[in-house]
């Protein structure tokens, strides 16, 4: 009773023993990240009582209005992770440029990339939000001069660890260090995350999808085809009825998929042709792709696996289709069939009238 579940520190040390490539102070680095998430969980749960809701009054580098909690959560990550000597630099959604570890602190071997508060449009209406993080190794040349942006531009398949905290009815931490995906729940009485969901597995097929349907007219044809087939239900070619969900918080959507399967899409769309998607590669798509992949699911742009995308800039956006393996593979096939013209019989006359999706 008094010494029940595995706590996060024991879990991390056991993972590190299993994988000698996780050098030195790796588990302590993740402990600092966990501490940041606990501080954010505290702020999120107190909400109005802590005076943390509402707008910050300025835009971030993406041109999106920052919430007070976006900024506070960003500060929490910096405060808890900059002094331990495990990191060489950090980067986040809420910082225009990378944040090298200040010269008066020792510099470590890892890079941390994070979305301090994901789904922040939900914060003022008291719905689920989260934090997402990704750990990369600092390339060799990092150890000399201060790291630069280029050191961060590594494909997701080079991530050492990835995780998210979900600030929902209970606060959970979902983590992978390349050996499965595992869920821990915050026990507020003792202030520790305890292992409650070891070895999460995403069922390969599903009857549930998540997409912001208000963008339908902007979606690319393979996604329009997939969703219309789901909506056709039992009488359509899928021969089964589907359910739809949209929380507008990627952390919450991915968590639901880890718990009961499903597919999540924020595909390429023609809303703003300068943006190849809504979500950011380095601190949203890549960590979620590793988490989902380690749980037996898949993550794709539709044309290539997310983890293979070579980043070209820190805040780059990317189309995201992730979740149950069979569904993601189906949507990838629809992309191939669209490119080769094999999907002609499925095309709505609507698509050929738009410039982006013109097929003639
Ligand atoms: P963030 O709050 O970090 O900017 O991310 C929000 C993202 C993601 O969590 C969610 O899936 C999506 O934006 C919601 O988009 P819509 O506003 O189009 O629903
Ligand atoms: Mn986000
Ligand atoms: Mn965010």
């Amino acid at each position: 009773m008094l010494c029940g579940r595995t706590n996060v520190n024991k879990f991390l040390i056991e993972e590190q023993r299993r994988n000698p490539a996780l050098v030195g102070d790796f588990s302590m680095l993740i402990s600092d990240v966990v501490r940041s998430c606990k501080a954010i969980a505290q702020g999120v749960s107190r909400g109005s009582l802590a005076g943390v809701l509402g707008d910050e009054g300025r835009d971030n580098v993406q041109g999106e209005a920052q919430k007070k909690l976006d900024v506070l959560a960003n500060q929490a990550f910096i405060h808890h992770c900059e002094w331990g000597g495990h990191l060489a630099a950090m980067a986040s959604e809420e910082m225009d440029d990378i944040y090298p570890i200040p010269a008066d602190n020792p510099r470590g071997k890892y890079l941390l990339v994070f979305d301090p508060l994901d789904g922040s449009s939900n914060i003022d209406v008291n719905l689920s939000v989260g934090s997402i993080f990704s750990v990369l190794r600092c390339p060799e040349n990092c150890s000399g001069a201060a790291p630069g942006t280029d050191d961060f531009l590594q494909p997701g398949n080079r991530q050492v660890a990835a995780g998210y905290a979900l600030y929902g009815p209970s606060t959970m931490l979902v983590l992978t260090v390349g050996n499965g995906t595992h869920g821990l729940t915050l026990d507020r009485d003792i202030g520790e995350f305890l292992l409650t969901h070891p070895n999460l597995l995403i069922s390969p097929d599903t009857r549930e999808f998540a997409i912001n349907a208000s963008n339908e007219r902007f979606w690319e044809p393979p996604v329009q085809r997939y969703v219309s087939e789901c909506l056709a239900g039992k009488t359509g070619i899928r021969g089964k009825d589907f359910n739809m969900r949209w929380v507008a918080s990627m952390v919450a959507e991915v968590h639901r998929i880890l718990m009961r399967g499903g597919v999540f899409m924020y595909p390429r769309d023609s809303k703003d042709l300068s943006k190849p998607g809504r979500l950011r590669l380095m601190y949203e798509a890549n960590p979620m792709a590793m988490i989902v992949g380690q749980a037996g699911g898949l993550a794709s742009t539709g044309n290539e696996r997310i983890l293979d995308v070579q980043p070209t800039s820190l805040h780059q956006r990317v189309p995201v289709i992730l979740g149950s393996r069979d569904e993601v593979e189906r949507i990838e096939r629809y992309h191939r069939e669209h490119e080769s013209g094999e999907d002609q019989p499925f095309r709505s006359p609507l698509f050929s009238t738009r410039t982006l999706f013109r097929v003639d």
Side-chain angles (χ1 to χ4, degrees), residues 85-145:
H86 320 305
L87 291 174
M90 295 182 238
S92 125
E93 178 187 347
E94 304 304 339
M95 297 188 284
D96 300 8
D97 300 313
I98 68 161
Y99 179 89
I101 296 303
D104 47 348
N105 288 325
R107 193 182 294 149
K109 295 186 173 67
Y110 293 102
L111 302 172
L112 180 69
V113 199
F114 55 96
D115 176 354
L117 200 69
D118 174 67
S120 55
S121 71
N122 280 343
I123 193 67
D124 293 342
V125 291
N126 198 16
L127 294 176
S128 291
V129 289
S131 301
I132 312 173
F133 63 90
S134 156
V135 180
L136 294 161
R137 266 196 197 87
C138 201
E140 285 309 312
N141 58 7
C142 255
S143 48

Side-chain angles (χ1 to χ4, degrees), residues 144-298:
T149 303
D150 286 354
D151 295 315
F152 282 83
L153 302 181
Q154 307 179 37
N157 54 32
R158 303 247 293 269
Q159 291 172 108
V160 179
Y164 64 76
L166 169 63
Y167 313 116
S170 58
T171 291
M172 284 194 70
L173 177 75
V174 170
L175 195 60
T176 177
V177 297
N179 177 35
T181 292
H182 312 278
L184 302 96
T185 304
L186 182 61
D187 183 336
R188 289 185 186 266
D189 291 341
I190 57 170
E192 291 229 65
F193 280 102
L194 302 178
L195 185 62
T196 47
H197 297 68
N199 297 308
L200 289 164
L201 280 180
I202 299 174
S203 60
D205 63 359
T206 181
R207 289 166 179 246
E208 196 159 73
F209 67 97
I211 193 163
N212 181 345
S214 70
N215 292 327
E216 181 181 0
R217 66 195 184 283
F218 302 115
W219 296 336
E220 49 187 353
V223 171
Q224 290 182 324
R225 174 184 171 191
Y226 176 78
V227 172
S228 72
E229 288 176 0
C230 292
L231 295 177
K234 256 194 191 117
T235 52
I237 73 149
R238 300 302 306 271
K240 58 184 184 180
D241 289 334
F242 279 77
N243 202 4
M244 198 190 88
R245 288 286 182 271
W246 189 248
V247 189
S249 163
M250 190 193 199
V251 169
E253 319 277 5
V254 169
H255 195 71
R256 187 187 57 248
I257 289 171
L258 283 166
M259 293 298 122
R260 67 177 191 211
V263 61
F264 166 89
M265 292 164 277
Y266 218 118
R268 183 186 301 278
D269 66 37
S270 60
K271 206 174 187 176
D272 174 350
L273 293 176
S274 69
K275 295 178 183 162
R278 163 87 171 83
L279 298 170
R280 281 60 53 113
L281 175 62
M282 300 288 297
Y283 41 81
E284 291 177 319
N286 270 344
M288 291 311 200
M290 183 177 183
I291 289 164
V292 164
Q294 285 290 320
L298 269 185

Side-chain angles (χ1 to χ4, degrees), residues 346-359:
F346 307 103
R347 288 186 189 179
S348 148
L350 203 71
F351 305 148
S352 59
T353 60
R354 287 206 206 102
T355 324
L356 180 68
F357 301 142
R358 192 185 296 279
V359 290

